Amino acid sequence: MATTKKTTFSSTLGVIMAAVGSAVGLGNIWRFPYICGKYGGGAFLIVYLCFVFFLGATLMISEFVIGRRSQHTPVKAFQSLHSKKAWGFIGLLGLITSFFILSQYLVLSGWTTDYIWESVVGNLSALGTDAGAISNHFAQFSTDGLRPVIALVVFSAICLIVIMCGVQKGIENVSKVLMPLLVLLVLVLCVRSLTLPGAGKGLEYLFSPDFSKLTGEGVLAALGQALFSLSVGMGVMIVYGSYMPLNDNVFKTAMWITACDTLIAILAGVAIFPAVFSCGLDPAGGPGLVFCVLPNVFNSMGGAGVVFSTMFFLLLAVAAMTSAISLLEALTASLLEHAKVSRHLSAILFFLLTSAFGILFSLSIGPLSHITIGSAHLTLFDFVDKLNSIYLPPICSLFTIIFFGWVMPEADVQDELSNHGAVKIGYYGVFRFLARYLAPLALLIVLIAGIMG
Ligand code: PHE
């Protein structure tokens, strides 16, 4: 009841599916392609690949090791791996980060959920290729008090049901269905996009290396994206690590997850940009790309556009759902371990709390936009966005890697990575160097640059 002990995924495949589900999210589909194009295409990609495989994967491995070694959720995980209980603060920080990321994520996920519906019933196709009308439609929707909130609650409730079904029956089974579906959707959209006239220009934007666009800001964006995309720095991978089968090869599993996450981000770019360029539209970033530019692209495809737009918003919702599920699970499992409550009660509690905050953030875009914070007059949504992108994840990642590289006994690390000596860890020297020196340094730089910028 009050313990998460011995809850595990059933197999390596189950771990990979669930963790890829967490990693592949809105960040892959609407953020990666955009920043890749913006900061020099192929040039950005090279830097991103280095960051994601050397630093992101290092953090993921460290979180997996911390989770599986301790068999605990974040707070207890850090406490149990060192004699000083105070280290538990890193876990707490991770959970706070998860809480705020989930609350904000629910808003965006609600939008995608609403757009599936609007696509199916023909509201989007009715807007035709009038860019102004499409943008207005989105502006009206996102600032409407009620509709985004309903969509948010629907999305959040589905996540709740999955979590209530448990780790294997809920998260693992759902990921095993949704992840292949996601790959299928993205591949179909890639084929459609690539076969449109003038698709080459989109590929050029995405891939041809332009080192003059790779600014310092671009390098920082690459690192931030690498961490966010792999879902590290918020305790989620610690929780999933604690569910990992004990004979699983942590290093290999992390590499698979990293590779899948990266591949899907690249495929998302291939699905989006050739189509955008083929219509002669400007690639925009973030929600603008997804909710204002892409409907125009779909509407210019004629009758089949409805099918592709529905597929695209479904793809987004699926990606967002498995990510949101991982965040809700991290919170649910943690409370489950610390208090005498059932999984159902814990999940419902966090469903209510994160939805309530999500609703507040959603309203702050519309009816509550007059409430602002600080001298910059940020709305609540913009404030939490800043917190979630600049401060919390890098701070938490930094503490995690310092704990892993400098505080946790090295013998424990080696023992866990090698499955008590059963697997050889030939890469250990490089990994240790990354974990002790390069990763903390890089994180410190991102953090300082973020705060100053
Ligand atoms: N990795 C997810 C994405 O790319 C976001 C996420 C972050 C999910 C942290 C879970 C935990 O969108």
Side-chain angles (χ1 to χ4, degrees):
M1 264 256 295
T3 169
T4 56
K5 272 285 172 54
K6 290 300 116 217
T7 307
T8 58
F9 289 121
S10 69
S11 62
T12 305
L13 184 70
V15 181
I16 292 180
M17 288 292 180
V20 169
S22 173
V24 174
L26 299 175
N28 296 58
I29 298 173
W30 81 31
R31 192 141 166 264
F32 173 82
Y34 168 69
I35 54 176
C36 185
K38 181 175 172 195
Y39 293 118
F44 176 90
L45 197 59
I46 295 169
V47 176
Y48 179 78
L49 287 176
C50 291
F51 282 154
V52 88
F53 278 96
F54 288 114
L55 298 176
T58 299
L59 264 146
M60 185 184 287
I61 293 168
S62 68
E63 292 198 13
F64 279 160
V65 166
I66 290 170
R68 196 176 69 171
R69 182 81 186 169
S70 66
Q71 292 290 302
H72 286 300
T73 52
V75 176
K76 277 208 178 159
F78 284 98
Q79 288 179 334
S80 72
L81 295 173
H82 195 269
S83 51
K84 282 214 177 65
K85 294 281 167 277
W87 286 108
F89 86 91
I90 306 175
L92 187 64
L93 200 62
L95 293 174
I96 293 171
T97 310
S98 283
F99 184 92
F100 282 112
I101 297 240
L102 179 56
S103 306
Q104 185 200 13
Y105 216 75
L106 288 177
V107 178
L108 308 173
S109 308
W111 293 353
T112 65
T113 311
D114 179 274
Y115 265 56
I116 299 176
W117 170 251
E118 294 213 54
S119 174
V120 172
V121 299
N123 287 357
L124 290 185
S125 55
L127 299 168
T129 50
D130 177 349
I134 294 174
S135 299
N136 267 343
H137 182 81
F138 175 62
Q140 261 174 19
F141 162 71
S142 57
T143 54
D144 181 292
L146 191 62
R147 277 172 51 213
V149 167
I150 294 174
L152 181 156
V153 174
V154 169
F155 179 90
S156 182
I158 300 174
C159 298
L160 169 68
I161 294 169
V162 176
I163 296 295
M164 294 205 330
C165 290
V167 172
Q168 278 189 17
K169 283 211 187 103
I171 303 173
E172 183 171 339
N173 283 346
V174 163
S175 305
K176 279 181 176 165
V177 175
L178 290 187
M179 283 301 106
L181 173 69
L182 181 139
V183 172
L184 184 73
L185 288 171
V186 84
L187 286 177
V188 171
L189 290 166
C190 280
V191 171
R192 173 69 283 211
S193 179
L194 287 174
T195 49
L196 288 169
K201 267 198 260 149
L203 289 182
E204 213 179 291
Y205 178 74
L206 194 60
F207 293 122
S208 79
D210 180 347
F211 284 91
S212 69
K213 287 202 215 153
L214 185 65
T215 53
E217 189 185 291
V219 173
L220 286 178
L223 184 49
Q225 173 69 9
L227 299 177
F228 184 77
S229 194
L230 290 184
S231 303
V232 291
M234 41 213 95
V236 167
M237 291 302 178
I238 295 182
V239 174
Y240 277 13
S242 75
Y243 299 157
M244 240 184 193
L246 298 178
N247 58 359
D248 208 18
N249 184 329
V250 175
F251 182 80
K252 258 199 197 156
T253 301
M255 284 302 154
W256 271 109
I257 298 164
T258 308
C260 291
D261 182 62
T262 308
L263 190 66
I264 293 175
I266 294 172
L267 286 177
V270 173
I272 293 173
F273 284 120
V276 169
F277 278 81
S278 152
C279 292
L281 294 166
D282 261 350
L289 172 66
V290 173
F291 297 103
C292 301
V293 177
L294 287 180
N296 202 337
V297 173
F298 297 127
N299 290 349
S300 61
M301 287 177 182
V306 175
V307 177
F308 289 111
S309 95
T310 307
M311 280 175 104
F312 178 77
F313 287 109
L314 191 63
L315 165 74
L316 267 182
V318 164
M321 185 158 289
T322 43
S323 296
I325 285 171
S326 71
L327 290 158
L328 187 58
E329 173 63 19
L331 297 165
T332 301
S334 298
L335 182 64
L336 201 60
E337 191 176 34
H338 288 271
K340 293 213 177 311
V341 290
S342 67
R343 166 169 279 272
H344 285 193
L345 193 66
S346 177
I348 291 172
L349 189 76
F350 281 111
F351 156 76
L352 291 174
L353 282 173
T354 52
S355 298
F357 273 78
I359 290 171
L360 194 66
F361 298 144
S362 175
L363 293 177
S364 80
I365 298 173
L368 299 184
S369 59
H370 57 279
I371 301 175
T372 57
I373 295 181
S375 54
H377 298 294
L378 295 175
T379 61
L380 289 178
F381 185 88
D382 289 339
F383 175 74
V384 75
D385 187 50
K386 213 164 182 188
L387 208 62
N388 287 344
S389 52
I390 299 178
Y391 299 100
L392 291 175
I395 292 178
C396 194
S397 301
L398 181 61
F399 282 127
T400 303
I401 204 69
I402 289 175
F403 178 88
F404 181 81
W406 297 90
V407 181
M408 185 175 163
E410 188 175 355
D412 286 357
V413 173
Q414 275 179 333
D415 189 52
E416 196 57 39
L417 271 177
S418 68
N419 292 349
H420 314 295
V423 288
K424 263 189 69 190
I425 41 172
Y427 53 85
Y428 185 73
V430 180
F431 173 72
R432 191 78 187 151
F433 173 76
L434 289 171
R436 276 169 81 92
Y437 301 101
L438 225 56
L441 189 71
L443 285 165
L444 202 63
I445 293 172
V446 180
L447 195 59
I448 294 171
I451 292 169
M452 294 200 344

